[in-house]
Amino acid sequence: MSAPARSRLAGLDGLRGFAALYVLLFHCWLLTYPGFPRNHGPWWLGGLLFGHLAVVFFLVVSGFSLSVSPARHGWRLGGIGRYARRRAWRILPPYWAALVFSLIVAWSYGPQPHSVAPTGRTVAVYGLLLQDLVVAPTPNGTFWSIAVEAELYVVFPLLLLLRRRLGTVAMVVLATLPAVAVGLFGPAVSPVNKLSGLTPQLAPLFVLGMAGAGIVVASDRVRRLPWPWLAALAAAPVLAVIVIRGTIWTVREYVWIDLAIGPALVLLLVAVTSGRPAPLVRLLDTRPVRGLGSFSYSLYLVQLPLVVIVSRTIKHHDLVPRGLPTFWATLGVAVPLALVVARLFAAVFEIPFQRHRGWPFHHPREEAEETPVSL
């Protein structure tokens, strides 16, 4: 038996599910219209260009949900060895299975966009989650973020120590200053076609999520604050800048956009886990949405190779005219295909590892843990 559902934070699974679905839609758009980050499709599809921000959201959620239990216990982890085993058990089996799947697709149907065919170096680098440190042909363009997640898991115990010794503000500042320094003085690296390379601004976003976990366990007076309105107020100026400056500027300045949108995402998580706004929480708690969230990690891992197969098949055989008809055809085939394959994939490689904390599968986990970044 799995841990009781009440040990999970309300709404988080649904938010993860919607974020993973958005990434899927983004890739359908990306493989239909060339020239990213310029929008060569209809203007009303412009909202699909920001798949990177879904990764930002995943990192905030990960820091948030991973920190709730330590926040309830004086910001203590409860044993580094136990923590490391659980994280590896939760993250690695689906990831390694998706790596094998992605390699098969890349070798059978051609490499990922903007990459060459995977090699033996690919297997070693991606198998060891070193793709953000060592360059190798990618088998799956989404895997860079899994390495980011793993790196943050490694430093998580140190971040908890900083929280205990120095407090929340100092923890956030110490995590943010290096990212700001890189943004100001580091070389300009475009995130377009990003397949590897460190992304320093994601660390403070994870830490902001950790800070938000402290609000979840705060007093009722704090929890009753108007968090939905605060989230909207924090998001409004960032969204306004994105609309006014456009997609090309936004993608070029993702370092600052990421840091600016982080507080709004944390406030949204605090609002949802405190039960507000009620209509959104009810939607997130519906069975289909919770079901989507239950395999969102698998969906993130396997969807891009499937979109590549569908997109290349449609274009190679000229099944429909280019442009919007190609987008609708890609969407109509790739979305249901990815959902079905991801659900079956999760049934074998993800859900059993959520429900049990070790091998053989007769040890139920002691408490519900968060879905990893849902990447």
Side-chain angles (χ1 to χ4, degrees):
M1 296 292 290
S2 62
R6 61 181 172 80
S7 60
R8 302 186 70 87
L9 294 172
L12 287 193
D13 280 346
L15 289 172
R16 293 187 186 102
F18 279 135
L21 183 61
Y22 176 82
V23 173
L24 171 58
L25 299 180
F26 163 69
H27 285 138
C28 290
W29 180 93
L30 186 66
L31 293 179
T32 299
Y33 297 105
F36 177 83
R38 188 180 300 277
N39 182 13
H40 290 287
W43 65 268
W44 45 271
L45 288 179
L48 296 181
L49 274 71
F50 305 107
H52 171 85
L53 295 182
V55 178
V56 169
F57 178 71
F58 288 141
L59 267 294
V60 174
V61 173
S62 186
F64 180 88
S65 53
L66 193 63
S67 301
V68 170
S69 179
R72 288 170 174 161
H73 297 90
W75 296 96
R76 298 186 181 279
L77 193 58
I80 292 180
R82 177 173 173 268
Y83 158 78
R85 287 192 300 271
R86 287 192 168 192
R87 289 294 86 203
W89 180 255
R90 180 64 185 88
I91 289 288
L92 293 178
Y95 170 73
W96 281 334
L99 174 59
V100 172
F101 171 72
S102 300
L103 289 168
I104 292 172
V105 171
W107 285 328
S108 302
Y109 292 89
Q112 289 278 287
H114 313 293
S115 181
V116 298
T119 63
R121 180 184 178 92
T122 297
V123 176
V125 169
Y126 281 80
L128 295 173
L129 284 167
L130 297 176
Q131 57 264 36
D132 273 12
L133 303 172
V134 181
V135 177
T138 183
N140 187 323
T142 64
F143 280 178
W144 68 271
S145 56
I146 308 301
V148 172
E149 181 83 357
E151 292 155 9
L152 290 169
Y153 283 166
V154 171
V155 300
F156 181 65
L158 175 60
L159 293 171
L160 287 179
L161 178 62
L162 289 176
R163 172 58 184 80
R164 289 200 309 272
R165 297 288 178 84
L166 303 177
T168 298
V169 173
M171 176 184 68
V172 173
V173 169
L174 289 174
T176 304
L177 285 178
V180 172
V182 171
L184 289 173
F185 306 111
V189 179
S190 172
V192 180
N193 306 331
K194 174 175 172 53
L195 301 175
S196 64
L198 292 173
T199 314
Q201 76 271 20
L202 297 182
L205 296 167
F206 181 88
V207 173
L208 282 172
M210 293 178 61
I215 300 174
V216 171
V217 299
S219 66
D220 288 341
R221 181 180 62 84
V222 172
R223 289 175 52 80
R224 285 196 298 266
L225 291 173
W227 298 113
W229 289 107
L230 294 174
L233 288 173
V238 184
L239 298 178
V241 168
I242 290 174
V243 171
I244 293 170
R245 300 304 300 266
T247 57
I248 297 175
W249 180 90
T250 298
V251 171
R252 187 177 66 243
E253 303 296 338
Y254 261 152
V255 169
W256 308 114
I257 293 294
D258 292 352
L259 294 174
I261 200 67
L265 298 178
V266 174
L267 293 171
L268 172 63
L269 295 178
V270 173
V272 168
T273 54
S274 65
R276 295 166 292 166
L280 175 60
V281 175
R282 285 195 295 269
L283 171 64
L284 295 173
D285 201 41
T286 58
R287 185 172 180 179
V289 177
R290 283 189 288 109
L292 176 64
S294 71
F295 64 93
S296 56
Y297 182 39
S298 291
L299 178 60
Y300 184 87
L301 289 172
V302 304
Q303 46 82 30
L304 181 53
L306 295 172
V307 176
V308 169
I309 292 173
V310 172
S311 176
R312 287 179 177 167
T313 301
I314 291 173
K315 291 180 178 179
H316 178 73
H317 296 284
D318 290 323
L319 298 178
V320 296
R322 296 299 173 93
L324 192 58
T326 296
F327 173 76
W328 288 126
T330 303
L331 201 71
V333 177
V335 170
L337 175 65
L339 291 174
V340 171
V341 171
R343 183 62 183 84
L344 296 174
F345 181 93
V348 178
F349 299 110
E350 182 181 3
I351 294 174
F353 297 90
Q354 285 179 312
R355 293 176 175 170
H356 304 272
R357 69 175 188 271
W359 185 270
F361 280 169
H362 64 262
H363 295 298
R365 60 185 180 177
E366 294 173 0
E367 61 183 27
E369 295 182 358
E370 86 294 345
T371 302
V373 36
S374 291
L375 302 173

